[in-house]
Amino acid sequence: MIELAGVSRTFRTRSGDIEALRGIDLTVAEGEFLAVIGRSGCGKSTLLRLLAGLLPPTDGTVLVGGTAVTRPRRDVALMFQRPALLPWRSVLANVLLPVEMHGGRRAPHRERACQLLDAVGLAGFHKRLPHELSGGMQQRVALCRALIQQPKVLLMDEPFSALDALTREELAGQLQQVHMDVKPTTVFVTHSIQEAVLLADRVAVLSERPGRVRHVLTVDIPRPRSFGRNAHLADVATCVAELTDLLHDTDAPTPMHIT
Amino acid sequence: MALPAAGATAAVGLWWGTTVIFGIRSFFLPAPPDIIASFRAQPAYLLRETWATLTETLLGFGIGVAAGLAIAMMLTAWRAVERATFPLLVALNSIPKVAVAPLLVVWLGYGPKPKIVLVVLICFFPIVVSTVAGLTSTPADLGELARSLSASWWQGYFKVRLPWALPQVFVGLKLGVSLAVIGAVVAEISSPNQGLGAVIVLSGSSLDTPLAFAAIVLLALLSIVLFYLIVALERLLLPWARAISA
C-alpha cells in the first residue's frame, strides 16, 4: 500500500541546510499497522508529511496505492498531535468537515458520523462545542473526523502525546479496536515504546538526525493486546526491551549509558 | 452588578455632597438634581438631538465596519496589496481626526455628511487592524488540516480563516463603536447645527452648564448602550470565543 524508496528530505534554512531524512526504504502492506519510533527531531513528523503529500521529498519516491504522492489525497487521512478542531463547530459538524471540504453533501454521512462518535464513547456529545470537551474527548473527535471518509491510509503524528497517561492508554485501546474493525493501513508516529508495542504489527526505529531506518521490529503478539496483566506479558516485555536498546544505542557510543 | 452600582452611587453622592457643602453655584458645577431638571425642562429637544447624534454614529459606524472589513480582507488576501497600502493607512491614521473636522465642513457643507465621514474616518482603522490581526493568526495546525483535506483557497478562507478571525473582529468593533461616538461629537462641535455636540456648544455660550451636563450624560449613556450591544452580540454569535482566549 505504501512504498518509500530512497527517500530523503533536506530543509533549507538561513543557518544552513538541515537534513531531516536520508535514504528511507520502507513498505507498508495493506491493512498493516506500522509504528515509527525515534527520538525528538529525528524526522518522524517529516516522514508523515511526505506520506500525506504536504511536503515533497528532496530525493526518492513516495508511493501510496501504487501512485506517486504529489498532493494530499482524499483516501489518506491525517491526525495531528493536537486535535485541531474548529472551535465554532459542534462535535458532529467537525467530524463532517472533510465531507464538506471534498464537496460532498453532509446528510448522507451524518449517520456514519454518529456511529463513529458513539463507538468512541461520545454518544450524547454530538451538539457540544469542542471547548466543552476534555483533551482526550477532543482527540477522539479528531479520530472520528479522520475516519469519516473511510480512508485507505491513516497517518497519525503522535496523536496521544498531549494527553495524560491514563487517557493515552484508553485511546490507544480504542484505536486498536478501530484498526481491528476497519483495517486501514496505518502509520503511527510516536515516541512511546509501550504504545508502539501495543498497536503495531511492525515498529520502524529511526536513528537520530538525519533520520534513517535503523531497524524494523516485527511485533508478533496476537490481538487484542492490552497494557495490563495478560497471557503475553513476556512477549511484550521482550519487545519493549529490544526497542529500548535500539533507541538508546547511538551510532557513536558514549562511555556512559543513561537508562 | 451590585458593586459597580454601589461605586457609581458613591461617586454621584460625593459630587452632590460637594456642591451642597461648599455651596458651589450651578453654572460652575451643577448638582445631579439640576441636571435632571435641565433634562425635564426640554426632553423633546434633547432626545431629538440625541437621535441626531445616534443616527450619525450608526451610519458612520456601519460604513466604517463595511469598509474596514473589506479593506482588511483585501490586505490579507494579497500580500502585495498589504505591502503597498498598509504603510499609507498607518500614515493616514496618524493624522489627528479632530484636525480634519473643519476641512470636512469646507468640503461637505453643514449637513450630516461631514459628521458621518468623520465617524467613518475615526472608527474604521481599529477595525482594519484588528481584523488583519485575526486573519493572520490562524493556528498552524488548522492551516495544515485544511491543506490535508485538499481545501481550496476559498474553503480555507471562509471555513477556517474568517471564522477564526471573528473574535478579533469584535475587538475592533468594540474599539470602533466608542470612537464613533467621539467622532460624531467632535464633528458636531466643529459645525454645531445639530446633535448633542451642538447642544454642548450652545449651552457653553449661554453659560447653561446644567444643560451641557445633561448632554454629556446622554452621550455617555449612548456610548455605554452601543458598547454593550456589541458585547451582547459577540456572546450570542461567538459563544466559543472566550474559551479560545482563556
Side-chain angles (χ1 to χ4, degrees):
Chain A
M1 192 68 197
I2 298 172
E3 286 169 67
L4 292 152
V7 171
S8 300
R9 173 72 209 192
T10 305
F11 291 101
R12 286 178 187 282
T13 66
R14 232 171 270 172
S15 49
D17 290 358
I18 294 171
E19 197 180 5
L21 293 170
R22 183 191 288 172
I24 301 279
D25 295 305
L26 263 180
T27 54
V28 190
E30 188 161 353
E32 191 184 9
F33 196 119
L34 177 81
V36 177
I37 195 164
R39 298 183 166 211
S40 303
C42 74
K44 305 186 292 282
S45 296
T46 306
L47 183 68
L48 216 62
R49 274 160 184 71
L50 293 174
L51 289 171
L54 292 170
L55 206 65
T58 315
D59 213 1
T61 51
V62 181
L63 300 180
V64 171
T67 51
V69 175
T70 50
R71 66 169 80 89
R73 298 162 45 138
R74 197 173 167 161
D75 54 357
V76 175
L78 187 56
M79 193 172 158
F80 306 94
Q81 205 164 344
R82 301 208 307 142
L85 302 175
L86 302 182
W88 52 90
R89 281 177 172 244
S90 70
V91 164
L92 187 64
N94 263 294
V95 174
L96 288 167
L97 180 74
V99 177
E100 238 179 278
M101 289 290 198
H102 290 128
R105 281 166 39 78
R106 275 160 53 155
H109 294 83
R110 196 175 294 267
E111 196 178 327
R112 187 176 144 69
C114 292
Q115 282 169 2
L116 284 168
L117 286 168
D118 295 352
V120 295
L122 288 174
F125 288 93
H126 299 186
K127 290 195 172 131
R128 298 293 187 88
L129 289 174
H131 74 263
E132 298 171 303
L133 272 56
S134 70
M137 291 160 100
Q138 291 186 16
Q139 201 55 302
R140 275 176 250 194
V141 177
L143 177 63
C144 293
R145 181 179 62 194
L147 293 170
I148 185 75
Q149 296 267 73
Q150 293 170 300
K152 292 202 183 76
V153 176
L154 185 56
L155 305 173
M156 309 180 89
D157 188 4
E158 301 187 29
F160 308 143
S161 61
L163 306 172
D164 65 87
L166 281 174
T167 312
R168 290 180 77 134
E169 291 179 6
E170 197 185 331
L171 260 82
Q174 284 181 343
L175 177 60
Q176 172 173 246
Q177 194 57 50
V178 164
H179 186 255
M180 287 167 71
D181 291 345
V182 271
K183 281 253 164 236
T185 308
T186 308
V187 179
F188 182 89
V189 165
T190 181
H191 51 234
S192 157
I193 293 172
Q194 266 75 19
E195 259 170 34
V197 173
L198 178 85
L199 291 165
D201 296 306
R202 289 187 303 149
V203 183
V205 182
L206 293 194
S207 65
E208 279 171 63
R209 190 187 292 156
R212 278 161 294 174
V213 180
R214 173 177 286 163
H215 188 77
V216 180
L217 179 82
T218 304
V219 182
D220 209 0
I221 303 171
R223 290 196 170 92
R225 304 170 188 163
S226 68
F227 283 114
R229 196 176 293 276
N230 60 59
H232 307 285
L233 220 49
D235 296 335
V236 172
T238 311
C239 283
V240 168
E242 204 165 328
L243 287 170
T244 310
D245 285 347
L246 282 164
L247 278 173
H248 285 284
D249 184 25
T250 50
D251 287 338
T254 43
M256 196 176 66
H257 275 283
I258 301 160
T259 48
Chain B
M1 200 59 204
L3 271 180
T9 312
V12 171
L14 192 68
W15 162 24
W16 193 349
T18 311
T19 56
V20 173
I21 292 164
F22 296 102
I24 298 172
R25 281 192 292 167
S26 176
F27 81 87
F28 191 76
L29 179 66
D34 300 334
I35 296 165
I36 293 168
S38 173
F39 177 78
R40 293 179 73 176
Q42 39 191 352
Y45 164 67
L46 280 170
L47 287 178
R48 194 176 68 231
E49 300 308 313
T50 306
W51 177 249
T53 302
L54 177 67
T55 49
E56 287 159 16
T57 304
L58 287 182
L59 272 171
F61 182 63
I63 297 168
V65 170
L69 291 180
I71 289 172
M73 285 167 78
M74 281 196 285
L75 285 177
T76 50
W78 297 285
R79 200 111 189 97
V81 177
E82 183 186 351
R83 288 176 57 191
T85 56
F86 205 64
L88 184 69
L89 276 173
V90 174
L92 279 176
N93 185 56
S94 67
I95 300 168
K97 302 299 173 303
V98 186
V100 190
L103 283 175
L104 289 174
V105 177
V106 173
W107 292 332
L108 298 167
Y110 280 98
K113 264 192 247 160
K115 284 135 191 150
I116 293 166
V117 170
L118 191 70
V119 173
V120 174
L121 286 179
I122 206 167
C123 75
F124 105 109
F125 195 74
I127 295 169
V128 172
V129 173
S130 309
T131 308
V132 166
L135 284 169
T136 51
S137 68
T138 317
D141 49 2
L142 291 188
E144 200 158 54
L145 170 73
R147 284 218 302 137
S148 78
L149 295 174
S150 328
S152 66
W153 186 89
W154 289 103
Q155 286 177 323
Y157 199 90
F158 286 102
K159 287 189 195 292
V160 180
R161 267 181 96 183
L162 200 57
W164 180 268
L166 286 178
Q168 283 288 322
V169 172
F170 268 90
V171 171
L173 294 183
K174 282 183 266 184
L175 279 169
V177 82
S178 308
L179 285 171
V181 176
I182 294 173
V185 175
V186 166
E188 284 163 2
I189 288 175
S190 77
S191 68
N193 59 341
Q194 62 167 354
L196 290 170
V199 174
I200 292 166
V201 171
L202 297 179
S203 66
S205 61
S206 59
L207 277 186
D208 190 353
T209 316
L211 181 63
F213 269 78
I216 290 167
V217 168
L218 285 169
L219 271 175
L221 287 175
L222 194 69
S223 218
I224 291 166
V225 168
L226 289 175
F227 182 84
Y228 280 102
L229 276 177
I230 292 190
V231 171
L233 193 67
E234 182 185 14
R235 295 220 176 131
L236 186 74
L237 294 178
L238 314 176
W240 49 275
R242 290 210 288 176
I244 298 303
S245 57

